[in-house]
Amino acid sequence: MSNPGTTKYRELTNTTVADYLSGQSSVAPHLGPNASEWKVSEIGDGNLNLVFIVQSNQGTVIVKQALPYIRARGPSSPLPLSRAFFEYEATTRHSERAPGTTPALYHFDKDQAIIVMEYLSPHIILRKGLVLGNQYSRLAESLGQYLARIHFRGSDLSMDSASKKMDAALFAGNHALCQISEKRIFTEPYYAADLNRWSSPQLDDVVQCIRQDEPLKAAVNELKDKFMSNSQTLLHGDFHSGSVMVTDHDVRVIDPEFAFYGPMGFDVGAIIGNLLIAYCSQAGHADTNDDRSEYSRWILTVIAELWSTYEVEFKNLWLSERTGELYPKNVFPQSNSKESLNSLSRYLTSILADSFGFAGAKMIRRIIGVSHVEDMTTIEDPDLRAACESRALSIARTLVLKRNSLSNVQEAIKIAEKSNSMSCEKSR
Amino acid sequence: MSNPGTTKYRELTNTTVADYLSGQSSVAPHLGPNASEWKVSEIGDGNLNLVFIVQSNQGTVIVKQALPYIRARGPSSPLPLSRAFFEYEATTRHSERAPGTTPALYHFDKDQAIIVMEYLSPHIILRKGLVLGNQYSRLAESLGQYLARIHFRGSDLSMDSASKKMDAALFAGNHALCQISEKRIFTEPYYAADLNRWSSPQLDDVVQCIRQDEPLKAAVNELKDKFMSNSQTLLHGDFHSGSVMVTDHDVRVIDPEFAFYGPMGFDVGAIIGNLLIAYCSQAGHADTNDDRSEYSRWILTVIAELWSTYEVEFKNLWLSERTGELYPKNVFPQSNSKESLNSLSRYLTSILADSFGFAGAKMIRRIIGVSHVEDMTTIEDPDLRAACESRALSIARTLVLKRNSLSNVQEAIKIAEKSNSMSCEKSR
């Protein structure tokens, strides 16, 4: 993980990648010596970065380089290169806190904002798998364990308070990425922001209703307050189904460049919200062979099992690794006393309430904000797509408004199952 | 405010203070040139620092120097000199956000951990005034305005999110002082920590009860969670009645060396809790001329008026200065719309609930933890003192446990008025 010192930043191209990599000793074991024979292709399909795949007859690596601007928007929308540093630092911590859940990191270059990492194969992006209708037997358990481990071990339940404060201070430097979330998730969907888009004309009325939905806007700002001021743990920060790579046997988490110290429910809610979008989109992917009803039910079981795994793993860690200043051992000497477990239960209830709220906020922004998702955009019939989206908005609004009164994940799942289209009456 | 670069730290003494000051051009206007004629005396009565008063025939200044250890404990209890830096930085910000509320700063020397500041006269420490039975007509209004202004203007309601995040990151460096609060306020009173002391034998049973009071310990850890992870604004951080200096016409706030980004209720609760201690102590200061009953009622009116002023001033700022990313103008264009004011009301309700909780936690720690307060320690009759303390503990416990169900400050005041001794039955 050498850092070659301050050298001028240069964007990689297909023709310069091999030359760059051949100078890095940490990469050599993975690709071998014959740089001239390596195959390079740019495969980045995200909004922000360059991503190259580099293949030799010895192996394959991924090269990810941050651009000094938002790729989807161009050089007029600058974004700090430091996000590569925060992605590297977050991946390092998360791979220690939840071993086996990230790609292996081979090389980091701070000045060039380059991370070279393991090429995951035959993994595919979870979101694509959800559109295809693929079931993954280890998905829920893996995601629940990953989140519980990174959340608990990065919090005041585990870390000493000085170390956590200084690490949170380091990640405060990632404010430009936090600001994107503040605007895209919590602000722009609720007024006539320039970049907003939605299925028009089908959702025109609903969009207007949401912008005038005062209880919803107030609740979203309460969630935003937590997003901006609650440094509970080092989050992934962008934990949607496009940040997860899966096979039948393996689950890995990528792209934590939005990492910061924030509320645990923001990660849990991000994946629950994106799974609920996938759930609502299934009617749009049905065909004569498969009406996707069984698959839809499977998605809901993933949500339930993800949360139950999170609870179980969080409890394991509460009992065995509570070494921090919060609920400390000298005040709660018996970890499995009724009182200790009551406190754990309240802590988890609070995370779940936050998760429902953030799930709803994440769903809304993917349907009426600037960034949309393949689950919906790949539905070709615009009326069918809008119907799926409207149902997702209806679920989302209910989750945001009822987040503090739902007592378990099954209640949220019932809301999803019973949901219909978003109606304007509902939000007036 | 010159910083003379890295020079070796040296503790000031009565004989070296004048020499040090005569080399500082920023101090000259306040003391004049004849250093040999200045009178120097050390007056520090706090736990942590050296404080000198320096008088010349032209004026008087205060010289405060941090020691590399806790003064009350000695060199075996190290504490970073950087607390002087954080006090200087916090005073600078707070004096901008609430003009006229702090002493003027004349000189800061980071390496020597020295702040030279205005000598306040004829001000006395509020806590001493409360023991004496003095009423101050502008006290409640001044404290409420000060808190509302520093809280609002240091929060995401006012600041841009990147600036606030980076300033919070700077103050994260004050973690050693935060850790003192974590231990002293939220941990040690709830187990048999070595340094704890209390009126013994009178309170022995009560102390044992509190250490086994599981609902109380759980609630205190929920408050501690907020203290450790909620970076709502730049707090004073140690806002008890010993950090306020008063005359009949003026109120100033000193000693923000515990400053950090934390929950607003922590400051509001600190002063409410200390006023409630003063209230409970009055029976111990009664004499044949004055049973202190009128004065006790006055203290409760200060609490009520402090909070009502805070609400009014916070609302003024909400209407006129809401320039941050939270409850932003583009989503809530009409600041005085019903919906905007409903959000404000919920925001204030949440601060008040936190304040009740932190008030209770602060009261408990001053009675059964290591640091006690003059309000109680100056009561000579040990039984009378213990009775006053027991009443304070009873109020404190109720405030912590009922913090989220009390709907206004009057309900808290009624609890204080109706309170009796802390009974063990209560906490089982």
Side-chain angles (χ1 to χ4, degrees), chain A residues 197-199 365-374 377 389:
Chain A
R197 55 201 176 90
W198 59 87
S199 293
R365 78 93 151 215
R366 291 296 191 185
I367 295 169
I368 68 171
V370 55
S371 286
H372 289 229
V373 285
E374 279 175 58
T377 58
E389 292 172 331

Side-chain angles (χ1 to χ4, degrees), chain B residues 152-321:
Chain B
F152 187 97
R153 290 173 173 154
S155 77
D156 287 312
L157 296 166
S158 169
M159 295 179 74
D160 83 88
S161 70
S163 301
K164 187 207 162 205
K165 277 192 165 57
M166 293 317 290
D167 205 46
L170 176 76
F171 278 90
N174 205 17
H175 51 74
L177 283 281
C178 289
Q179 207 160 41
I180 290 177
S181 298
E182 289 157 19
K183 289 189 189 305
R184 299 281 179 270
I185 301 170
F186 300 103
T187 312
E188 290 175 358
Y190 304 96
Y191 77 101
D194 288 346
L195 297 169
N196 287 347
R197 57 202 175 91
W198 59 88
S199 294
S200 182
Q202 295 90 343
L203 297 185
D204 289 358
D205 283 355
V206 168
V207 167
Q208 291 307 318
C209 289
I210 287 176
R211 290 184 191 162
Q212 290 157 37
D213 189 336
E214 301 298 338
L216 180 64
K217 293 197 294 185
V220 166
N221 272 275
E222 290 173 16
L223 291 161
K224 186 183 196 173
D225 193 4
K226 286 204 174 188
F227 178 85
M228 297 180 79
S229 281
N230 183 339
S231 59
Q232 200 170 17
T233 197
L234 180 63
L235 300 180
H236 179 281
D238 192 28
F239 196 57
H240 55 72
S241 49
S243 295
V244 177
M245 297 195 72
V246 285
T247 68
D248 284 344
H249 308 293
D250 192 34
V251 177
R252 305 283 189 104
V253 178
I254 61 172
D255 289 352
E257 62 209 292
F258 283 81
F260 73 109
Y261 277 77
M264 296 176 182
F266 186 69
D267 276 349
V268 179
I271 192 67
I272 289 178
N274 277 270
L275 287 167
L276 286 172
I277 287 178
Y279 170 77
C280 292
S281 76
Q282 292 304 316
H285 302 301
D287 58 29
T288 47
N289 294 322
D290 183 0
D291 69 357
R292 295 283 181 116
S293 60
E294 187 211 329
Y295 191 66
S296 298
R297 283 193 297 276
W298 177 78
I299 294 176
L300 297 182
T301 66
V302 171
I303 293 172
E305 194 189 336
L306 187 160
W307 177 252
S308 64
T309 304
Y310 186 94
E311 283 188 313
V312 167
E313 183 63 13
F314 209 95
K315 181 178 176 182
N316 289 342
L317 297 168
W318 180 281
L319 295 176
S320 62
E321 293 188 17

Side-chain angles (χ1 to χ4, degrees), chain A residues 156 161-162 164 179 182 187 214 217-218 221-222 224 229-231 325 327 330-332 339 346, chain B residues 156 161 164 175 179 182-183 187 191 214 217-218 221-222 224 229-231 325 327 331-332 339 346:
Chain A
D156 288 311
S161 70
K164 187 208 162 204
Q179 207 161 41
E182 289 156 19
T187 313
E214 302 297 339
K217 293 197 294 185
N221 272 276
E222 289 173 16
K224 187 182 195 174
S229 282
N230 182 338
S231 59
E325 186 63 29
Y327 300 96
N330 40 22
V331 177
F332 297 90
E339 295 73 20
R346 275 191 300 274
Chain B
D156 287 312
S161 70
K164 187 207 162 205
H175 51 74
Q179 207 160 41
E182 289 157 19
K183 289 189 189 305
T187 312
Y191 77 101
E214 301 298 338
K217 293 197 294 185
N221 272 275
E222 290 173 16
K224 186 183 196 173
S229 281
N230 183 339
S231 59
E325 186 62 28
Y327 299 95
V331 176
F332 296 90
E339 295 72 21
R346 275 191 299 274

Side-chain angles (χ1 to χ4, degrees), chain A residues 315-376:
Chain A
K315 181 178 176 181
N316 289 340
L317 297 168
W318 180 280
L319 295 177
S320 62
E321 293 188 17
R322 221 172 67 257
T323 53
E325 186 63 29
L326 193 58
Y327 300 96
K329 279 291 172 62
N330 40 22
V331 177
F332 297 90
Q334 302 293 332
S335 286
N336 59 359
S337 68
K338 186 176 141 217
E339 295 73 20
S340 164
L341 295 178
N342 281 343
S343 287
L344 166 64
S345 173
R346 275 191 300 274
Y347 199 90
L348 285 166
T349 298
S350 171
I351 297 172
L352 187 61
D354 289 355
S355 301
F356 292 145
F358 288 120
K362 287 277 211 171
M363 293 169 78
I364 291 168
R365 78 93 151 215
R366 291 296 191 185
I367 295 169
I368 68 171
V370 55
S371 286
H372 289 229
V373 285
E374 279 175 58
D375 311 70
M376 295 297 187

